[in-house]
Amino acid sequence: MIIGEQKTLKEIMDNLSGHGSILVAGCRSCVAICLAGGEKEVGVLSEALRIHSDLEGLNWTVGEVTLERQCEKEWVREIAPLVAEVDCVLSLACGVGAQTVQELFPDTRVVPGLNTSNMGAPEEQGLWNEKCGGCGDCVLHLTGGVCPIARCAKSLLNGPCGGSQEGRCEVDPDTPCAWDQIYQSLKRLDRLKLMEDVIPPKSWIPSRSGGPRRIMREDALLTEDEKRAKEGLE
Amino acid sequence: MKAGSNIERLFDKGEFVVTGEIGPPMSSNPSSIQEHARHLKGFADAFNLTDNQTAIVRMSSLASSVICLQEGVEPIMQMTCRDRNRIAMQSDLLGASALGVRNLLCLSGDHQTFGNQAESKNVYDLDSIQQLMMLRRMRDESKVWGDTDIKEAPRVYLGAAANPFADPFEFRVTRLAKKVKAGADFIQTQAIFDMERFERYMKEARSRGLHEEVHIMAGVVPLKSLGAARYMKNKVSGMIVPDQLIDRMKGAEDPKEEGISICVEQIHHLLTIEGVHGVHIMPVAWEKKLPEIVERAGLLPRPVL
Ligand code: SF4
Ligand code: SF4
């Protein structure tokens, strides 16, 4: 899932300055799980904005809505009547959701309420760890199921650097060394042999360096006729 | 002969090689390198010029190497993967070779969060093993990575670092083997304080025959004070400083003198270990002591070819 974290109240207020009517839009997916932008957070933040407006005499109107998923057009279209009423949407979705809203409502300013951080997983209550860097060319089969791209501070591909100590990363002793974990995992899986192979330079083309990525499934695309038929049904 | 550098020729003749280190200045003034080079000339066979060590902005390793050359001192240019992608690395090697730099040390590099540019975007396009593969290919096959031919290949003797003390310990010799496979001609180790552990490491390396495939140089750092010893024990990741050394520094009347004595004893010990072909002395910000260490270790005069 995508992990995000709310911007500070101060930054959010500053970014909203100049607007009078605001729709706070949450998302029930990933950002709800990481306690950053779900229905509950929308309620709390909206209330804070109202109090701030009262104290400062700003006269803001603050509306609330939480979508099933803010990254999908079908869901986002449903809030068109609400967006028509405001001059700004404060999106508590991840950057993908915020951009989808902006694309569908190009004349209304969308302001991000979250800092989208990474692709990760909830580790325990209140703790989320990055797990994948989206490199587009997965090597987990070589690394015991532990990602060296996202989880090693140097994205090394051939074993731990000289700073790995007692299973900890040299960059932050609170972080496990990814390569130590890879080593332990391969040992458990009886595949330590893999650590002997030199992994050659990686192609980063499927990663960020090729520009924005696009995946297209020819077999799943609708024909023009099918698109029209679908719109007719809606 | 791969590059014809001084250290390559010495290794080939079976000499015990001595290298030192010169830290480039945080300045555009070349004088500190010139002074060190003049003062240290003849006391070691080549000197490493560090590449923005501890991720602090300094004069570039390439420029510093060339300043050394101008003083008649052989440089070992360090190159980290932190700050350059494969385009910059290959370009720098072509330039270094054109300017007469004949040794290059491949490193992943200290992470940028340790230095004065913590907010920078790091590169790590390659790791140090992939860097070795790529640079060796340039030298031996006259190809840039991919398949483009190079008209005149760079002449370079390739080095790599090894840390026998990082974890998991069982993997350290395997990693050394990977570096050899990828193209390392010589290895400089992290500073060795824990001799017992280093002996185990070398035994394992010998059992794989690595001491015959690559020239392993053992790293030493003279301790300047008790504080420095404690700092290295507690703050420098991947370094093991045994308590007995800390105690020796604590009890010393003249800690500086004691630090040098320890270093000299370490070199004597290292000379007895089979497969150790040289010593790399890193007198961090204490360059002026290098001649004394080399002399007291009985490694003078340095052979001239
Ligand atoms: S190797 Fe790439 S795709 Fe696989 S988990 Fe890591 S970053 Fe994600
Ligand atoms: S200590 Fe481990 S995780 Fe940290 S940079 Fe080195 S290899 Fe990567």
Side-chain angles (χ1 to χ4, degrees):
Chain A
M1 57 183 261
I2 293 181
I3 316 286
E5 176 177 41
Q6 228 171 71
K7 286 181 180 280
T8 62
L9 209 50
K10 163 102 178 47
E11 195 186 343
I12 292 175
M13 309 274 190
D14 288 350
N15 292 347
L16 287 174
S17 88
H19 294 288
S21 54
I22 298 144
L23 176 65
V24 181
C27 178
R28 277 201 190 91
S29 280
C30 317
V31 294
I33 314 270
C34 65
L35 310 179
E39 197 151 17
K40 191 165 138 249
E41 290 76 30
V42 168
V44 173
L45 184 63
S46 300
E47 207 41 42
L49 293 179
R50 286 184 200 113
I51 292 168
H52 173 72
S53 165
D54 285 352
L55 288 174
E56 305 285 316
L58 295 170
N59 231 353
W60 280 353
T61 58
V62 179
E64 303 176 25
V65 67
T66 302
L67 291 77
E68 210 48 45
R69 272 199 292 284
Q70 227 178 88
C71 56
E72 287 192 60
K73 290 181 181 166
E74 275 77 2
W75 301 106
V76 179
R77 277 199 193 99
E78 289 178 359
I79 64 165
L82 293 172
V83 176
E85 304 276 295
V86 298
D87 58 25
C88 177
V89 176
L90 175 65
S91 169
L92 289 196
C94 70
V96 184
Q99 292 187 58
T100 308
V101 175
Q102 184 70 79
E103 262 171 65
L104 282 185
F105 308 113
D107 301 325
T108 305
R109 182 164 176 246
V110 176
V111 167
L114 301 193
N115 292 320
T116 306
S117 170
N118 62 71
M119 285 184 274
E123 209 65 54
E124 53 179 84
Q125 180 79 26
L127 179 66
W128 297 270
N129 280 345
E130 178 165 17
K131 291 280 157 82
C132 170
C135 77
D137 178 18
C138 198
V139 299
L140 288 177
H141 57 298
L142 300 175
T143 57
V146 176
C147 174
I149 307 297
R151 294 171 69 177
C152 163
K154 300 177 184 172
S155 296
L156 304 179
L157 279 164
N158 280 294
C161 73
S164 172
Q165 201 98 86
E166 286 166 8
R168 302 275 122 192
C169 174
E170 68 165 6
V171 174
D172 173 9
D174 290 335
T175 307
C177 164
W179 272 102
D180 194 85
Q181 295 193 315
I182 291 169
Y183 184 85
Q184 306 304 342
S185 175
L186 289 172
K187 196 165 166 184
R188 276 189 300 271
L189 298 171
D190 201 16
R191 285 214 158 22
L192 262 187
K193 203 79 190 74
L194 283 170
M195 293 284 284
E196 311 245 346
D197 298 336
V198 173
I199 300 183
K202 187 173 167 67
S203 165
W204 297 104
I205 290 174
S207 176
R208 231 193 51 253
S209 61
R213 287 169 273 182
R214 181 160 89 146
I215 292 176
M216 192 160 74
R217 282 268 308 266
E218 301 274 1
D219 59 338
L221 291 176
L222 297 183
T223 63
E224 287 307 315
D225 275 354
E226 285 168 334
K227 274 187 197 160
R228 266 193 297 277
K230 193 175 171 218
E231 266 161 35
L233 284 179
E234 281 167 359
Chain B
M1 195 72 54
K2 291 166 173 163
S5 75
N6 189 31
I7 56 171
E8 179 183 10
R9 280 185 272 141
L10 292 172
F11 278 130
D12 282 0
K13 286 193 102 186
E15 296 281 355
F16 189 83
V17 173
V18 177
T19 53
E21 195 161 282
I22 297 176
M26 290 171 69
S27 148
S28 60
N29 186 334
S31 61
S32 68
I33 303 178
Q34 288 161 339
E35 278 159 28
H36 285 314
R38 276 175 214 150
H39 173 72
L40 298 175
K41 191 172 175 173
F43 290 100
D45 307 312
F47 291 85
N48 287 35
L49 282 303
T50 52
D51 178 12
N52 297 298
Q53 196 172 8
T54 58
I56 287 175
V57 178
R58 292 171 182 278
M59 186 182 289
S60 75
S61 178
L62 173 52
S64 308
S65 294
V66 172
I67 295 167
C68 270
L69 274 177
Q70 288 164 350
E71 296 298 328
V73 163
E74 175 159 299
I76 299 171
M77 174 177 153
Q78 296 195 177
M79 187 191 273
T80 70
C81 299
R82 175 193 60 224
D83 309 323
R84 18 177 111 58
N85 66 6
R86 61 192 85 178
I87 302 174
M89 285 181 180
Q90 295 178 95
S91 156
D92 279 353
L93 173 58
L94 293 176
S97 179
L99 289 164
V101 176
R102 293 281 168 263
N103 307 300
L104 190 143
L105 190 82
C106 297
L107 299 163
S108 55
D110 295 317
H111 197 263
Q112 79 278 5
T113 47
F114 291 121
N116 58 7
Q117 308 295 316
E119 295 182 346
S120 62
K121 192 171 175 183
N122 64 30
V123 182
Y124 295 116
D125 172 21
L126 305 182
D127 61 33
S128 55
I129 291 178
Q130 298 167 336
Q131 180 189 17
L132 279 165
M133 276 177 95
M134 180 181 75
L135 302 184
R136 172 170 65 177
R137 183 140 198 257
M138 290 177 82
R139 179 192 69 201
D140 292 353
E141 295 171 37
S142 288
K143 298 249 190 234
V144 294
W145 194 250
D147 218 21
T148 317
D149 286 321
I150 303 173
K151 263 204 191 123
E152 190 172 325
R155 286 170 61 201
V156 67
Y157 197 54
L158 289 171
N163 186 353
F165 308 105
D167 289 323
F169 182 65
E170 318 87 82
F171 178 66
R172 299 325 299 187
V173 174
T174 307
R175 187 156 158 89
L176 173 68
K178 284 180 84 161
K179 291 196 171 187
V180 175
K181 209 196 245 175
D185 300 308
F186 69 101
I187 297 285
Q188 290 175 330
T189 77
Q190 166 77 288
I192 297 162
F193 293 106
D194 186 340
M195 286 293 164
E196 185 265 331
R197 192 154 164 157
F198 182 63
E199 293 258 24
R200 270 195 285 150
Y201 177 86
M202 283 306 298
K203 189 163 169 225
E204 167 94 33
R206 285 194 303 270
S207 76
R208 290 200 186 203
L210 293 172
H211 64 309
E212 278 159 3
E213 287 184 66
V214 73
H215 300 289
I216 300 172
M217 308 186 72
V220 292
V221 167
L223 295 169
K224 211 172 181 177
S225 62
L226 176 60
R230 284 200 175 126
Y231 175 81
M232 278 191 253
K233 180 186 169 82
N234 301 322
K235 292 275 155 42
V236 180
S237 48
M239 217 183 257
I240 299 177
V241 184
D243 285 332
Q244 158 223 346
L245 280 188
I246 304 269
D247 291 342
R248 243 181 101 176
M249 288 303 283
K250 206 188 288 174
E253 237 169 63
D254 180 351
K256 288 195 167 124
E257 166 58 31
E258 190 71 6
I260 300 286
S261 299
I262 292 173
C263 186
V264 169
E265 287 167 32
Q266 283 168 335
I267 296 176
H268 283 145
H269 186 148
L270 292 166
L271 276 160
T272 66
I273 301 177
E274 191 193 343
V276 174
H277 295 178
V279 61
H280 177 53
I281 307 169
M282 298 170 272
V284 195
W286 209 17
E287 281 96 341
K288 67 170 197 280
K289 282 290 177 188
L290 186 126
E292 183 183 334
I293 297 169
V294 182
E295 187 183 356
R296 283 174 53 185
L299 295 169
L300 287 184
R302 297 310 309 150
V304 182
L305 292 183

